Amino acid sequence: MLNIKAPRSLIIFLSLISVFAYFIFLMHKSLHAEQFESNKLTIFYAAGLNASMNAMFKEFKKLNPSIEIIGESGGTLLLIRKITELNRQPDIIFVADAQVISDLLIPKYADWYINFYKDRVVIAYTSRSKYTNEINTENWYKILSRKDVRFGYASPHLAPLGYRTLMLWKLADLYYKDKPNNKSIYETLKESPPAENIMHDAAELLLVLESLSLDYAFVYESTAKQHNLKYIQLPPEIDLGNFDLEELYKQARVEVISKKGQKQIFQGSPIAFALTILKDAPNYRKAIEFIRLFLNQEGQKIMLANDQEMIIPCVAYNPKSVPEELRDFIHPRPKTLPLGQE
């Protein structure tokens, strides 16, 4: 059998050619991925952020004119199900309740989240609503339970605003200690509105209220202000807007049922909206850029213009997993450990 050995120089040459070809392949793949990344940014966001997000998209487009922003608004639980049940892959999700991220996205779809904005629940109404000269912080539940009064709220199975409304009613039982019609406030109000008065999210609820099909609606205070609606501000003991009353709020629990029939218990807590970047974000770098703009002074101005008070500095869950580029916005800022000590 012949044993033909190639010259060493030829072997080295061929090896270099192989390495160079592989390098060219990687460069092409990287450039292709970069080109793909630079085209689209998909953002899911809670309906309560509609006004602020529309303004944020315009600001981001000024800095990134080649980016196509695909924004999807809706009830937080509905948006989450698009990820967990329909295998959708947004880059960023903004939710109306951080518990949704911790319970339904971590650890499979995300590692961390940032609480960035706080609010409270109020009862909004229009100039055409009934009994506006009578309703106040002490008798609102009695007015709403009248047979000729039409009120609505968001679905607790689709939006945090919905299950927070139910929590508010449970806290009202603790606060007022009243039994209208020999029933709890929670039972009385739960039985009052017909199914058609329970909307998908805050945006749909506002449309129906402003069309005068409802007299009253439970919404976030910022939403009422954005739409120049009159509203009843409720006691802090029940409106879920005071971070000093967290232990009190925990006494209210609400069961939510998913589309697949799965049950989940949500516990009362101060209202805090949260954001995260998904693990498999198709456009991770632009997602970072968008959140930096959002949490920076430009985003703060936009939120403030829409009566939405940002938490400054923001509070993060699992802060050491928050991308380095975003850590200046959270408190306390996690220390970066030396390589090998993480």
Side-chain angles (χ1 to χ4, degrees):
M1 182 177 179
L2 293 175
N3 186 13
I4 301 174
K5 293 184 178 180
R8 186 181 179 190
S9 58
L10 178 60
I11 294 174
I12 293 173
F13 176 74
L14 291 174
S15 298
L16 289 173
I17 290 291
S18 298
V19 170
F20 181 73
Y22 183 65
F23 176 75
I24 293 295
F25 168 75
L26 291 179
M27 285 289 292
H28 175 76
K29 184 177 180 182
S30 174
L31 288 171
H32 179 74
E34 202 169 294
Q35 184 179 15
F36 174 77
E37 271 195 351
S38 65
N39 290 334
K40 293 181 180 180
L41 183 66
T42 303
I43 301 174
F44 288 0
Y45 57 96
L49 295 171
N50 281 358
S52 292
M53 279 295 138
N54 288 335
M56 274 300 305
F57 292 165
K58 291 178 182 178
E59 288 301 314
F60 193 73
K61 284 285 287 183
K62 289 178 185 177
L63 301 173
N64 301 270
S66 63
I67 287 286
E68 178 188 356
I69 299 177
I70 302 171
E72 291 192 28
S73 168
T76 288
L77 293 177
L78 185 61
L79 296 176
I80 292 288
R81 288 167 193 158
K82 288 183 179 181
I83 298 170
T84 60
E85 297 176 12
L86 301 180
N87 298 317
R88 295 286 305 280
Q89 293 185 326
D91 296 288
I92 311 170
I93 185 167
F94 293 79
V95 301
D97 188 357
Q99 185 183 342
V100 173
I101 296 179
S102 61
D103 289 357
L104 302 178
L105 293 186
I106 294 175
K108 184 176 181 180
Y109 302 95
D111 291 320
W112 55 271
Y113 63 78
I114 294 175
N115 286 329
F116 65 90
Y117 147 62
K118 57 185 179 180
D119 213 324
R120 59 171 52 89
V121 179
V122 300
I123 304 172
Y125 60 93
T126 71
S127 58
R128 301 287 295 275
S129 299
K130 296 176 181 176
Y131 308 114
T132 57
N133 61 327
E134 293 183 44
I135 195 167
N136 56 45
T137 58
E138 297 299 321
N139 67 7
W140 58 270
Y141 57 92
K142 296 177 182 177
I143 300 293
L144 296 189
S145 63
R146 292 179 180 176
K147 291 183 179 181
D148 60 338
V149 172
R150 302 160 299 171
F151 79 89
Y153 59 98
S155 169
H157 308 297
L158 299 177
L161 176 58
Y163 60 70
R164 282 174 173 150
T165 298
L166 303 188
M167 290 172 181
L168 186 153
W169 298 348
K170 290 191 172 187
L171 291 170
D173 277 315
L174 299 176
Y175 181 77
Y176 295 105
K177 296 179 174 59
D178 193 7
K179 291 275 188 180
N181 302 318
N182 294 318
K183 292 182 180 180
S184 68
I185 295 172
Y186 175 84
E187 291 173 326
T188 301
L189 295 178
K190 193 80 162 55
E191 294 172 357
S192 295
E196 59 264 27
N197 289 6
I198 303 173
M199 309 299 165
H200 283 79
D201 53 45
E204 185 179 356
L205 190 59
L206 260 293
L207 285 174
V208 178
L209 178 64
E210 291 178 322
S211 71
L212 307 181
S213 295
L214 292 175
D215 294 303
Y216 298 93
F218 288 86
V219 300
Y220 294 121
E221 183 179 36
S222 62
T223 306
K225 288 181 176 180
Q226 289 168 18
H227 291 258
N228 298 312
L229 292 168
K230 299 175 181 179
Y231 63 90
I232 302 293
Q233 184 168 329
L234 301 167
E237 289 83 359
I238 70 174
D239 72 0
L240 300 170
N242 191 322
F243 278 72
D244 294 330
L245 298 175
E246 183 173 3
E247 290 303 314
L248 172 62
Y249 297 157
K250 285 181 180 178
Q251 296 181 57
R253 291 170 169 262
V254 170
E255 184 179 86
V256 170
I257 302 174
S258 73
K259 192 175 181 180
K260 292 184 176 181
Q262 297 172 328
K263 296 180 180 179
Q264 184 178 8
I265 301 295
F266 284 95
Q267 186 177 51
S269 62
I271 294 170
F273 281 53
L275 64 85
T276 191
I277 297 174
L278 281 297
K279 281 183 176 181
D280 57 357
N283 201 337
Y284 180 82
R285 282 173 289 183
K286 288 300 178 184
I288 291 285
E289 287 182 31
F290 185 90
I291 294 177
R292 281 188 60 82
L293 181 67
F294 179 78
L295 296 179
N296 221 322
Q297 290 185 354
E298 192 58 47
Q300 293 171 22
K301 289 178 184 177
I302 288 173
M303 291 286 285
L304 192 60
N306 288 295
D307 298 294
Q308 294 178 318
E309 183 181 357
M310 270 199 169
I311 301 170
I312 303 173
C314 300
V315 180
Y317 168 83
N318 198 10
K320 289 184 179 180
S321 293
V322 172
E324 179 66 30
E325 301 92 331
L326 303 178
R327 292 185 183 183
D328 286 338
F329 300 103
I330 65 176
H331 177 78
R333 192 188 195 284
K335 295 180 180 179
T336 303
L337 295 175
L339 191 64
Q341 297 183 28
E342 296 179 344

